[in-house]
Amino acid sequence: MQNSEAMALSAALLATAGELTQRINEGVVARGFEGVRPAHGFAFTRLAPDGATVTDLAAHLGVTKQAASQLVEELVRKGYVERRPHPDDARARLVVLTELGWACTRAAEEAAADAVRGWSELLGESEMRALYTRLVSIAPYGPIKPAW
């Protein structure tokens, strides 16, 4: 693959990821979850299923601990997360999703399914399965991190 083709492929993948992120966020908002933004969704992926410390969240998001603390404060105010004592470290606090946070996560899953459904209509079911298989072989399932 030529450099220009590699760059075009990179741009297409990044544009697709950006569009998908936007459509998921719009779908979550349309389902009644006000005041959420993509950064919240990336945090939710780290907090589900067992919670995380602010330090863990900062590392996941690629931000400072201070920025992660501010994000957690915002999510606490909005009712999406709460702090609990850490079961293994008395000095640490565990940030976990509340019922509202879990409901928002389910709404994001529904919005993602809606977005991907359009791809399936465009490509067909067989091509969608092939696309999934190929993408997973390149980037195996793992933490969903933002690309700031």
Side-chain angles (χ1 to χ4, degrees):
M1 179 174 270
Q2 299 291 326
N3 285 351
S4 60
E5 293 171 320
M7 188 61 187
L9 175 60
S10 298
L13 286 170
L14 289 169
T16 301
E19 174 70 16
L20 181 59
T21 299
Q22 180 179 342
R23 291 195 54 202
I24 291 170
N25 193 69
E26 289 170 353
V28 168
V29 171
R31 286 167 172 81
F33 295 89
E34 306 245 347
V36 292
R37 48 194 173 89
H40 298 149
F42 289 113
F44 287 6
T45 64
R46 177 60 185 92
L47 298 176
D50 299 320
T53 64
V54 170
T55 302
D56 294 335
L57 188 58
H60 172 78
L61 295 174
V63 299
T64 64
K65 188 176 172 187
Q66 180 182 8
S69 292
Q70 290 173 348
L71 181 67
V72 168
E73 281 299 321
E74 178 184 0
L75 293 172
V76 167
R77 280 193 312 276
K78 292 179 180 193
Y80 291 109
V81 303
E82 65 185 14
R83 290 186 183 89
R84 293 185 182 162
H86 195 289
D88 302 323
D89 184 350
R91 298 169 296 147
R93 304 281 288 165
L94 198 61
V95 181
V96 297
L97 295 174
T98 61
E99 284 302 316
L100 182 62
W102 282 109
C104 187
T105 299
R106 289 187 295 274
E109 290 171 357
E110 292 169 5
D114 288 347
V116 171
R117 194 172 295 112
W119 298 353
S120 190
E121 291 169 5
L122 178 68
L123 299 176
E125 195 62 36
S126 174
E127 285 295 318
M128 279 297 291
R129 280 194 207 98
L131 176 62
Y132 172 77
T133 300
R134 288 181 178 98
L135 287 174
V136 168
S137 71
I138 295 169
Y141 183 78
I144 300 170
K145 293 183 161 196
W148 317 116

